[in-house]
Each structure stands twice: as C-alpha cells, then as structure tokens.
C-alpha cells in the first residue's frame, strides 16, 4: 500500500493550502494554478489533498462514477435503474501526463467496431476517471494548448463531449482541477491563466529554522511512512470533517450587497478584463465563509478572495510575468477603499506579502538600468563585463513568418513549420498502421465500394472489412526550436543600431511565444561565444537575457556558429521530434577566429535564416554569403517587419 504525505504535515504554503481547501469546498471556483520554482513541494501538497475529500457513492459497475441519488441521464453506461444499492469508494486523484493525447484525456470511440459491427463502443478517458474527484496536471504549461482548453471547458461546464465522424458521446465530468508549473519552463497564455479560478505563487522559505523543519519531517516520513502518517491521522480526520461540514453549509451562505459591491469595485479598480474574476471572487468569498463556519460573507473574506483570484489576471503583455511584481500595497489600498473607506488602520494587511526584491530571471531583471544580476551568464551585464553598458531593446513589432521550408513529420503542435500529423487540414488518406484513430470516411467508402459484389452484398448496407479502413492524413503546424545566434561585437555596438537589433530579436521572441516555440539564445563577442539561454519554453527568460546583453569587442562569428551547432546537437538528442530553426543576427563581419563560411557548411542541414544587420551606403554582402553557406536565406533587418513585406506586395501590385 502506498502511503501519501499528510496534508496537515506540510510546513508553510498557507495560501496554497487554503486555495486547495476552498476548491474542495466549492469546485465551482474553477481550480487552482500553482506556480513555483522546482523543489517547493507543489506536487506533494496537491497529492495529499485527495485523502481529505469525502468518500463518494457511485452506481456499481458504472465507469463514469454516477451518483445513485441523481444518476447522469446521458451516461454512456446508463440508463441506471433507481433504487440500486450504492457503492462507496474514496475520491480519486487522477494525474494527467504531459504527453497525453486528446483521446486519452476525453475518451475515444472505437470506430472500427462502430462501422464493422454496428456497435457504439466508448472507451472512457481521464475526464471520466476524475469525475467527482481531483484532476491533477503537473507541468500544465508544457501541455498542448488545445488540451488545456479541453480541460478548462470540462471543468467549467461539468460535462465532457466526445465527437467522432457524427457519433457523439456526452458524460458528466465534475472535478477539482489543479495545475502546477515551473515558470522557468514557460508561461501559460493570459487567456488560459484567466480560466483558472485561483493562482498561488509558491517559493521555498528563506528561514533556516523553517527549512530545517521541512527536512526533519520529510526524513521522518521516508523512514516510516505509515507511522509518520498515523501521527497526523487526527489532524487529517479533522480537516476531512471540516470540508464535509463546509460543503453542507455552502448553500446557506449569503453574499451581502455591500460585499458584492466591494468585489466589483476591486475588479474595476484593477482594470480586470471580463467578468470571470468577479464571479471567482464571489464564489471564493462564499466558500471561505463556509469554511470558517459563517453564514455571511465578510469584508475579510473579500480581501482574501482578491489576493487569490486577482494577481494572475493582471497580465497584459506576453512578456509580463504573472507571478511576480504584484503591488500588494496598491491591492490593499483598493480593497480598503472599496470595503471600508474610513478604515486606515491597515490591520487586515496580509502577513505573507512577497518581498519586493528583484527577480533575477524576470523579464525586467537587470533591464536597461545596466545592473547585472549575480547569476547572469557570462557575456551579460554592464561595462564591467568588458563591453558597453546594455542598450534597451526597441519597441517590438509584428514580424514576417520565418519557418523551415520542408514539411515535418508529426512534430509537437504549434503554429510555425508545416507538419503531417493528427491535426490540421486533410491532404490525403492512408491505411492505419495500428489502431484506427482518425477515420477518413470518404476514403474508406471508396476503398470498399469496388468489392461489394464479390462480398455478396444483397441489402442496402455496405459490407466493410478491416482492410477497407482509411485514416485521414492531415497537414498542420508544428512547434519548432528557434535558436537565436546574436552578434554582440563592437561592429554591432552603435547604440541606435543595437537598439534596433534587440528590438528585432524581441519581436521574433514575441512571434515565437505566439507560435508556441522553444527558444534558445547564443551570443558571441570578444574571443568566444556563450549560451546566454539554453533551449527553453520560457520566452520571458530569453527577453530578460536579451535586455541585459552587453556589446563590444571583436567578432568571433565562427565561434558563435560552432556553439550553435553544439546546442542543436544536444537538443536533437533531448527532443528529437522538434525541428530547429537557426536565426543568425549579424552584419556578417568576422574579426576573430577562422573563416565562418567553413563552419557554416557543417550546419547546412539545419533550416536557417540570416538577419542582415549591415547598414550604410556601401554594403559588402557578407551576411548573404553566410546564408548561402548555411543553405538558408538572408533578409535585411528592415525587411523583417510584416508591414514592410505588405508594403512591398502593394508596390508590386501597383506596378503590375
């Protein structure tokens, strides 16, 4: 028997535990997103919650966990007879792996049996398994966007739909959705952030005594899991009873008009888009009152609800960090003015407000001020790094699409390079290698039609066999690895020019964010090249490193290409399905090291684009020569903007 870590034994993380408990009381809040650095017990706290949830009564033999008191009328295993003896079981914690397919999540129809046997056979997915329990998604930021949308839709509506070739199945799917993520591995889109009811930032304690207590408890648990859990059995039982009591009290809790006005006033003060935040705050405040054993929402409930429901909804720009930089003082001031205008005592200020220290890895860390963080990679920072003080990037703009010309085969879903796979527009049909997933009905009928007489067809029905089945061959878009190789040497160091170059790279990073790419950053100047940022899904980190990038020194172009080659080779082993796109930002000059053309030829198999930064009345065309050696294309810096390309097209049409 596997023994889980007790919820009541977790040290600290008060906001996280409260957010989880409130969602356990009222799943209508919309779930919890837990953001935090690695090693902060995010998964431990979430997994320990399931043991506190009350047992559920289910219809015996129902794969969809129908409630005997109110069975789902659309249950695929129904209809269920009334008066059946209920079967009780513990609430489930269902974990969704990052690599799960849509069929694994939502369930799938056995189309082969449906066509050949006339049987509508449905195989339930993880949404059905999580019904009336907890659905836990670790590293939710690495999950494909369409799967995150699917999860959030089901969590919001309490219903899952599966449709395949005109056959539709619907079943109940009400669960507590919890997602955890490490922001260093990439952020969720603002639209998806807003769909999570509450969000909590988790950081490891900086108090040595508290850290020692965490280690002491974990070692004791590892030495004797059963004995350690038994010591907290009383606390766990009390929490479970309190959750059950709060659920019973929840329908009777009232939300006074002044509290509701306070909620809407706070959301308006923070310029929150849409109405979801208002609803989430109201539900959270009601659940908190029920949790505290009260029948009416108080101003303190609204304050706590705002602290949990608003911070992740303030994000406007894709490079904004939704986890750091929240002005707690402004939040408290807005809450105080909305709820108790005459109360200036500040007694309700939260004790656990995050410190205001700089975030080394945040998009603004080090910024244009020239300050260099302690953990900045070599080649970043101010004048002490041997180059000019960093120049801030210019304003980003919409760029033209840079993508591999060849069609990939089943790369990760995204919006850049073309690829064949399970999504996208149909471009053909093929015989399935194994289990049929995406039926191409016209191709299947066309394959079966010539054989009907030989198979003895006599009625109106079509005689189908396994070898007739065809699945659709689709072409969609994939996510790529965009590796930037940026020249930071003295030849690029004119301040206005480097500002334009950084603005161009920042614009490409924004484009990579929108197209769901991984990004990496290699810079070269002086005598060497540096990996400023290894390949990651966090374009926020890349933009921060770009802002801190200093310039000056000689131009080791060949060293930059060699470093890029090693990064791509390592990433090919780590993530072989993701095709790379190398973007070299340079004027083509080299004043240190061997001839870069020789090095470039070793990268000829990689899709490449050279952004030519050469300027002035006399152009040497060195970047074009480099692009030819790479087997890629060259575009001038000023041609990178999508508006420039549109203007060229308009001019050509006018001439024509």
């Amino acid at each position: 028997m596997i023994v889980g870590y007790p919820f009541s034994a977790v040290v600290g993380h008060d906001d996280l535990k409260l957010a989880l408990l409130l969602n356990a009381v009222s799943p209508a809040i919309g779930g919890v997103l837990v953001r935090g650095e690695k090693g902060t017990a995010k998964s431990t706290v979430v997994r320990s919650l399931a043991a506190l949830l009350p047992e559920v009564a289910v219809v015996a033999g129902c794969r969809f966990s129908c409630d005997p008191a109110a069975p789902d009328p659309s249950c695929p295993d129904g209809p269920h007879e009334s008066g059946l003896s209920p079967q009780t079981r513990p609430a489930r914690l269902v974990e969704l792996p990052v690599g799960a397919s849509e069929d694994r999540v939502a369930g799938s129809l056995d189309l082969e049996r449906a066509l050949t046997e006339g049987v509508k056979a449905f195989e339930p997915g993880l949404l059905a398994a999580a019904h009336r329990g907890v659905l836990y998604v670790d590293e939710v930021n690495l999950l494909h966007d369409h799967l995150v949308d699917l999860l959030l839709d089901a969590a919001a509506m309490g219903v899952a739909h599966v449709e395949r070739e005109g056959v539709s199945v619907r079943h109940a799917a009400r669960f507590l959705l919890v997602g955890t993520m490490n922001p260093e591995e990439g952020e969720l889109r603002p639209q998806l952030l807003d769909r999570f009811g509450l969000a909590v930032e988790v950081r490891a304690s900086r108090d040595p005594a508290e850290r020692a207590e965490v280690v002491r408890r974990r070692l004791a648990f590892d030495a004797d899991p059963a004995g350690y859990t038994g010591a907290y059995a009383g606390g766990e039982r009390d929490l479970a009873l309190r959750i059950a009591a709060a659920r019973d009290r929840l329908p009777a809790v009232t939300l006074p008009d002044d509290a509701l006005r306070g909620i809407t006033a706070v959301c308006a003060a923070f310029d929150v888009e849409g109405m979801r935040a208002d609803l989430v705050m109201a539900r959270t405040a009601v659940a908190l009152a029920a949790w505290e054993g009260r029948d009416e929402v108080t101003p303190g409930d609204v304050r706590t609800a705002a602290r949990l429901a608003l911070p992740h909804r303030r994000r406007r720009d894709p490079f904004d960090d939704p986890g750091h930089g929240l002005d707690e003082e402004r939040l408290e001031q807005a809450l105080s003015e909305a709820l108790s205008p005459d109360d200036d005592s500040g007694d309700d200020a939260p004790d656990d407000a995050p410190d205001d220290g700089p975030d080394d890895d945040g998009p603004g860390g080090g910024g244009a001020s020239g300050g260099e963080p302690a953990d900045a990679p070599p080649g970043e920072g101010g004048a002490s790094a041997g180059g000019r003080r960093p120049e801030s990037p210019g304003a980003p703009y919409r760029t033209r699409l840079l993508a591999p010309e060849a069609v990939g085969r089943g790369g990760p879903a995204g919006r850049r390079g073309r690829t064949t796979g399970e999504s996208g527009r149909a471009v053909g049909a093929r015989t399935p290698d194994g289990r049929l997933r995406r039926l191409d009905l016209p191709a299947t009928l066309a394959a079966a039609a010539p054989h009907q007489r030989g198979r003895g067809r006599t009625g109106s029905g079509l005689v189908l066999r396994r070898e007739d089945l065809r699945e659709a061959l689709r072409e969609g878009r994939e996510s790529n690895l965009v590796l930037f190789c940026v020249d930071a040497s003295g030849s690029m160091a004119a301040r206005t020019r480097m500002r334009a170059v950084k603005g161009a790279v920042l614009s490409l990073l924004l484009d990579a964010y929108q197209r769901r790419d991984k990004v990496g950053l290699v810079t070269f100047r002086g005598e060497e090249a540096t990996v400023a940022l290894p390949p990651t899904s966090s374009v926020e980190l890349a933009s921060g490193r770009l802002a801190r990038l200093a310039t000056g020194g000689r131009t080791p172009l060949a060293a930059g290409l060699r470093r890029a080659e090693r990064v791509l080779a390592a990433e090919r082993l780590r993530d072989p399905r993701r095709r790379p796109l190398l973007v070299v930002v340079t004027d083509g000059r080299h004043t240190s090291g061997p001839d870069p053309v020789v090095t470039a030829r070793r990268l000829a198999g990689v899709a490449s684009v050279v952004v030519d930064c050469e300027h002035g009345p006399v152009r040497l065309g060195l970047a074009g020569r480099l692009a030819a050696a790479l087997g890629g294309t060259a575009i001038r810096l000023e041609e990178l903007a999508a508006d420039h390309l549109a203007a060229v097209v308009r001019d050509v049409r006018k001439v024509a």
Side-chain angles (χ1 to χ4, degrees), residues 376-400:
E380 295 184 18
S384 61
R388 292 180 173 86
R389 186 174 297 276
E391 175 72 10
S392 60
Y397 48 83
R398 190 168 64 90
T399 65
R400 60 193 294 182

PDB file of all heavy atoms in Angstrom, residues 376-400:
ATOM      1  N   ALA A 376      23.834  36.149 -13.640  1.00  0.00           N
ATOM      2  CA  ALA A 376      23.821  36.400 -15.080  1.00  0.00           C
ATOM      3  C   ALA A 376      24.914  35.599 -15.758  1.00  0.00           C
ATOM      4  O   ALA A 376      26.034  35.502 -15.271  1.00  0.00           O
ATOM      5  CB  ALA A 376      24.024  37.886 -15.350  1.00  0.00           C
ATOM      6  N   PRO A 377      24.640  34.988 -16.900  1.00  0.00           N
ATOM      7  CA  PRO A 377      25.640  34.218 -17.617  1.00  0.00           C
ATOM      8  C   PRO A 377      26.749  35.117 -18.128  1.00  0.00           C
ATOM      9  O   PRO A 377      26.588  36.335 -18.241  1.00  0.00           O
ATOM     10  CB  PRO A 377      24.845  33.605 -18.788  1.00  0.00           C
ATOM     11  CG  PRO A 377      23.429  33.730 -18.394  1.00  0.00           C
ATOM     12  CD  PRO A 377      23.340  34.923 -17.529  1.00  0.00           C
ATOM     13  N   PRO A 378      27.907  34.537 -18.435  1.00  0.00           N
ATOM     14  CA  PRO A 378      28.990  35.334 -19.000  1.00  0.00           C
ATOM     15  C   PRO A 378      28.528  36.025 -20.264  1.00  0.00           C
ATOM     16  O   PRO A 378      27.776  35.479 -21.052  1.00  0.00           O
ATOM     17  CB  PRO A 378      30.077  34.293 -19.292  1.00  0.00           C
ATOM     18  CG  PRO A 378      29.766  33.142 -18.404  1.00  0.00           C
ATOM     19  CD  PRO A 378      28.271  33.137 -18.254  1.00  0.00           C
ATOM     20  N   GLY A 379      28.998  37.232 -20.462  1.00  0.00           N
ATOM     21  CA  GLY A 379      28.629  37.975 -21.651  1.00  0.00           C
ATOM     22  C   GLY A 379      27.463  38.891 -21.442  1.00  0.00           C
ATOM     23  O   GLY A 379      27.074  39.612 -22.328  1.00  0.00           O
ATOM     24  N   GLU A 380      26.841  38.871 -20.214  1.00  0.00           N
ATOM     25  CA  GLU A 380      25.768  39.779 -19.909  1.00  0.00           C
ATOM     26  C   GLU A 380      26.261  40.799 -18.903  1.00  0.00           C
ATOM     27  O   GLU A 380      27.292  40.656 -18.283  1.00  0.00           O
ATOM     28  CB  GLU A 380      24.565  39.034 -19.318  1.00  0.00           C
ATOM     29  CG  GLU A 380      23.933  38.071 -20.285  1.00  0.00           C
ATOM     30  CD  GLU A 380      22.711  37.436 -19.696  1.00  0.00           C
ATOM     31  OE1 GLU A 380      22.172  37.975 -18.726  1.00  0.00           O
ATOM     32  OE2 GLU A 380      22.278  36.398 -20.207  1.00  0.00           O
ATOM     33  N   GLY A 381      25.463  41.831 -18.697  1.00  0.00           N
ATOM     34  CA  GLY A 381      25.787  42.785 -17.659  1.00  0.00           C
ATOM     35  C   GLY A 381      26.287  44.082 -18.216  1.00  0.00           C
ATOM     36  O   GLY A 381      26.195  44.387 -19.386  1.00  0.00           O
ATOM     37  N   GLY A 382      26.887  44.880 -17.344  1.00  0.00           N
ATOM     38  CA  GLY A 382      27.279  46.229 -17.696  1.00  0.00           C
ATOM     39  C   GLY A 382      28.683  46.329 -18.203  1.00  0.00           C
ATOM     40  O   GLY A 382      29.285  45.384 -18.701  1.00  0.00           O
ATOM     41  N   ALA A 383      29.271  47.513 -18.009  1.00  0.00           N
ATOM     42  CA  ALA A 383      30.588  47.787 -18.552  1.00  0.00           C
ATOM     43  C   ALA A 383      31.655  46.908 -17.942  1.00  0.00           C
ATOM     44  O   ALA A 383      32.693  46.663 -18.541  1.00  0.00           O
ATOM     45  CB  ALA A 383      30.927  49.267 -18.330  1.00  0.00           C
ATOM     46  N   SER A 384      31.415  46.397 -16.729  1.00  0.00           N
ATOM     47  CA  SER A 384      32.407  45.533 -16.096  1.00  0.00           C
ATOM     48  C   SER A 384      32.606  44.250 -16.853  1.00  0.00           C
ATOM     49  O   SER A 384      33.578  43.543 -16.663  1.00  0.00           O
ATOM     50  CB  SER A 384      31.967  45.216 -14.657  1.00  0.00           C
ATOM     51  OG  SER A 384      30.730  44.544 -14.671  1.00  0.00           O
ATOM     52  N   ALA A 385      31.668  43.870 -17.694  1.00  0.00           N
ATOM     53  CA  ALA A 385      31.796  42.643 -18.482  1.00  0.00           C
ATOM     54  C   ALA A 385      32.708  42.832 -19.674  1.00  0.00           C
ATOM     55  O   ALA A 385      32.926  41.912 -20.440  1.00  0.00           O
ATOM     56  CB  ALA A 385      30.419  42.184 -18.949  1.00  0.00           C
ATOM     57  N   GLY A 386      33.293  43.981 -19.841  1.00  0.00           N
ATOM     58  CA  GLY A 386      34.223  44.195 -20.937  1.00  0.00           C
ATOM     59  C   GLY A 386      33.589  44.801 -22.148  1.00  0.00           C
ATOM     60  O   GLY A 386      34.198  44.873 -23.206  1.00  0.00           O
ATOM     61  N   GLY A 387      32.357  45.261 -22.065  1.00  0.00           N
ATOM     62  CA  GLY A 387      31.685  45.850 -23.205  1.00  0.00           C
ATOM     63  C   GLY A 387      30.913  47.071 -22.782  1.00  0.00           C
ATOM     64  O   GLY A 387      30.991  47.532 -21.650  1.00  0.00           O
ATOM     65  N   ARG A 388      30.166  47.639 -23.719  1.00  0.00           N
ATOM     66  CA  ARG A 388      29.344  48.796 -23.410  1.00  0.00           C
ATOM     67  C   ARG A 388      28.176  48.408 -22.509  1.00  0.00           C
ATOM     68  O   ARG A 388      27.761  47.260 -22.471  1.00  0.00           O
ATOM     69  CB  ARG A 388      28.814  49.411 -24.709  1.00  0.00           C
ATOM     70  CG  ARG A 388      29.889  50.056 -25.575  1.00  0.00           C
ATOM     71  CD  ARG A 388      29.249  50.625 -26.835  1.00  0.00           C
ATOM     72  NE  ARG A 388      30.183  51.407 -27.626  1.00  0.00           N
ATOM     73  CZ  ARG A 388      30.999  50.886 -28.536  1.00  0.00           C
ATOM     74  NH1 ARG A 388      30.972  49.583 -28.755  1.00  0.00           N
ATOM     75  NH2 ARG A 388      31.833  51.644 -29.219  1.00  0.00           N
ATOM     76  N   ARG A 389      27.668  49.403 -21.802  1.00  0.00           N
ATOM     77  CA  ARG A 389      26.503  49.167 -20.967  1.00  0.00           C
ATOM     78  C   ARG A 389      25.334  48.711 -21.842  1.00  0.00           C
ATOM     79  O   ARG A 389      25.161  49.217 -22.940  1.00  0.00           O
ATOM     80  CB  ARG A 389      26.147  50.451 -20.226  1.00  0.00           C
ATOM     81  CG  ARG A 389      25.031  50.280 -19.198  1.00  0.00           C
ATOM     82  CD  ARG A 389      24.848  51.547 -18.411  1.00  0.00           C
ATOM     83  NE  ARG A 389      26.046  51.852 -17.647  1.00  0.00           N
ATOM     84  CZ  ARG A 389      26.311  51.332 -16.440  1.00  0.00           C
ATOM     85  NH1 ARG A 389      25.456  50.488 -15.900  1.00  0.00           N
ATOM     86  NH2 ARG A 389      27.405  51.655 -15.802  1.00  0.00           N
ATOM     87  N   PRO A 390      24.523  47.736 -21.355  1.00  0.00           N
ATOM     88  CA  PRO A 390      23.447  47.214 -22.199  1.00  0.00           C
ATOM     89  C   PRO A 390      22.504  48.303 -22.673  1.00  0.00           C
ATOM     90  O   PRO A 390      22.128  49.200 -21.928  1.00  0.00           O
ATOM     91  CB  PRO A 390      22.726  46.235 -21.267  1.00  0.00           C
ATOM     92  CG  PRO A 390      23.736  45.855 -20.249  1.00  0.00           C
ATOM     93  CD  PRO A 390      24.589  47.065 -20.051  1.00  0.00           C
ATOM     94  N   GLU A 391      22.116  48.192 -23.940  1.00  0.00           N
ATOM     95  CA  GLU A 391      21.146  49.095 -24.538  1.00  0.00           C
ATOM     96  C   GLU A 391      19.780  48.418 -24.493  1.00  0.00           C
ATOM     97  O   GLU A 391      19.645  47.232 -24.807  1.00  0.00           O
ATOM     98  CB  GLU A 391      21.529  49.390 -25.990  1.00  0.00           C
ATOM     99  CG  GLU A 391      20.530  50.230 -26.756  1.00  0.00           C
ATOM    100  CD  GLU A 391      20.523  51.681 -26.313  1.00  0.00           C
ATOM    101  OE1 GLU A 391      21.425  52.065 -25.551  1.00  0.00           O
ATOM    102  OE2 GLU A 391      19.624  52.418 -26.727  1.00  0.00           O
ATOM    103  N   SER A 392      18.760  49.149 -24.073  1.00  0.00           N
ATOM    104  CA  SER A 392      17.423  48.563 -24.005  1.00  0.00           C
ATOM    105  C   SER A 392      16.891  48.311 -25.408  1.00  0.00           C
ATOM    106  O   SER A 392      17.202  49.049 -26.345  1.00  0.00           O
ATOM    107  CB  SER A 392      16.477  49.497 -23.238  1.00  0.00           C
ATOM    108  OG  SER A 392      16.390  50.745 -23.898  1.00  0.00           O
ATOM    109  N   PRO A 393      16.084  47.262 -25.579  1.00  0.00           N
ATOM    110  CA  PRO A 393      15.547  46.950 -26.913  1.00  0.00           C
ATOM    111  C   PRO A 393      14.557  48.004 -27.376  1.00  0.00           C
ATOM    112  O   PRO A 393      13.916  48.688 -26.578  1.00  0.00           O
ATOM    113  CB  PRO A 393      14.840  45.599 -26.696  1.00  0.00           C
ATOM    114  CG  PRO A 393      15.344  45.079 -25.396  1.00  0.00           C
ATOM    115  CD  PRO A 393      15.695  46.270 -24.573  1.00  0.00           C
ATOM    116  N   GLY A 394      14.433  48.121 -28.695  1.00  0.00           N
ATOM    117  CA  GLY A 394      13.395  48.958 -29.254  1.00  0.00           C
ATOM    118  C   GLY A 394      12.035  48.304 -29.106  1.00  0.00           C
ATOM    119  O   GLY A 394      11.920  47.149 -28.690  1.00  0.00           O
ATOM    120  N   ALA A 395      11.007  49.037 -29.442  1.00  0.00           N
ATOM    121  CA  ALA A 395       9.638  48.523 -29.308  1.00  0.00           C
ATOM    122  C   ALA A 395       9.429  47.333 -30.248  1.00  0.00           C
ATOM    123  O   ALA A 395       9.843  47.373 -31.412  1.00  0.00           O
ATOM    124  CB  ALA A 395       8.631  49.623 -29.621  1.00  0.00           C
ATOM    125  N   PRO A 396       8.792  46.252 -29.758  1.00  0.00           N
ATOM    126  CA  PRO A 396       8.549  45.097 -30.625  1.00  0.00           C
ATOM    127  C   PRO A 396       7.495  45.386 -31.677  1.00  0.00           C
ATOM    128  O   PRO A 396       6.659  46.283 -31.520  1.00  0.00           O
ATOM    129  CB  PRO A 396       8.075  44.018 -29.643  1.00  0.00           C
ATOM    130  CG  PRO A 396       7.498  44.773 -28.502  1.00  0.00           C
ATOM    131  CD  PRO A 396       8.298  46.043 -28.393  1.00  0.00           C
ATOM    132  N   TYR A 397       7.518  44.624 -32.751  1.00  0.00           N
ATOM    133  CA  TYR A 397       6.561  44.777 -33.836  1.00  0.00           C
ATOM    134  C   TYR A 397       6.252  43.397 -34.412  1.00  0.00           C
ATOM    135  O   TYR A 397       6.909  42.407 -34.081  1.00  0.00           O
ATOM    136  CB  TYR A 397       7.123  45.694 -34.934  1.00  0.00           C
ATOM    137  CG  TYR A 397       8.534  45.351 -35.372  1.00  0.00           C
ATOM    138  CD1 TYR A 397       8.779  44.350 -36.317  1.00  0.00           C
ATOM    139  CD2 TYR A 397       9.628  46.028 -34.839  1.00  0.00           C
ATOM    140  CE1 TYR A 397      10.059  44.031 -36.711  1.00  0.00           C
ATOM    141  CE2 TYR A 397      10.926  45.712 -35.222  1.00  0.00           C
ATOM    142  CZ  TYR A 397      11.139  44.720 -36.160  1.00  0.00           C
ATOM    143  OH  TYR A 397      12.420  44.397 -36.544  1.00  0.00           O
ATOM    144  N   ARG A 398       5.238  43.333 -35.262  1.00  0.00           N
ATOM    145  CA  ARG A 398       4.855  42.049 -35.871  1.00  0.00           C
ATOM    146  C   ARG A 398       5.817  41.729 -36.997  1.00  0.00           C
ATOM    147  O   ARG A 398       6.048  42.544 -37.895  1.00  0.00           O
ATOM    148  CB  ARG A 398       3.419  42.127 -36.402  1.00  0.00           C
ATOM    149  CG  ARG A 398       2.848  40.771 -36.838  1.00  0.00           C
ATOM    150  CD  ARG A 398       1.353  40.885 -37.070  1.00  0.00           C
ATOM    151  NE  ARG A 398       1.044  41.776 -38.172  1.00  0.00           N
ATOM    152  CZ  ARG A 398       0.934  41.386 -39.442  1.00  0.00           C
ATOM    153  NH1 ARG A 398       1.126  40.108 -39.760  1.00  0.00           N
ATOM    154  NH2 ARG A 398       0.627  42.247 -40.389  1.00  0.00           N
ATOM    155  N   THR A 399       6.402  40.527 -36.954  1.00  0.00           N
ATOM    156  CA  THR A 399       7.398  40.123 -37.933  1.00  0.00           C
ATOM    157  C   THR A 399       6.796  39.215 -38.994  1.00  0.00           C
ATOM    158  O   THR A 399       5.722  38.639 -38.803  1.00  0.00           O
ATOM    159  CB  THR A 399       8.566  39.376 -37.250  1.00  0.00           C
ATOM    160  OG1 THR A 399       8.073  38.142 -36.703  1.00  0.00           O
ATOM    161  CG2 THR A 399       9.167  40.216 -36.135  1.00  0.00           C
ATOM    162  N   ARG A 400       7.502  39.088 -40.084  1.00  0.00           N
ATOM    163  CA  ARG A 400       7.104  38.120 -41.106  1.00  0.00           C
ATOM    164  C   ARG A 400       7.397  36.716 -40.593  1.00  0.00           C
ATOM    165  O   ARG A 400       8.214  36.514 -39.680  1.00  0.00           O
ATOM    166  CB  ARG A 400       7.864  38.380 -42.401  1.00  0.00           C
ATOM    167  CG  ARG A 400       9.366  38.281 -42.250  1.00  0.00           C
ATOM    168  CD  ARG A 400      10.130  38.840 -43.428  1.00  0.00           C
ATOM    169  NE  ARG A 400       9.919  38.073 -44.645  1.00  0.00           N
ATOM    170  CZ  ARG A 400      10.517  38.346 -45.806  1.00  0.00           C
ATOM    171  NH1 ARG A 400      11.329  39.408 -45.889  1.00  0.00           N
ATOM    172  NH2 ARG A 400      10.305  37.611 -46.864  1.00  0.00           N
TER     173      ARG A 400
END
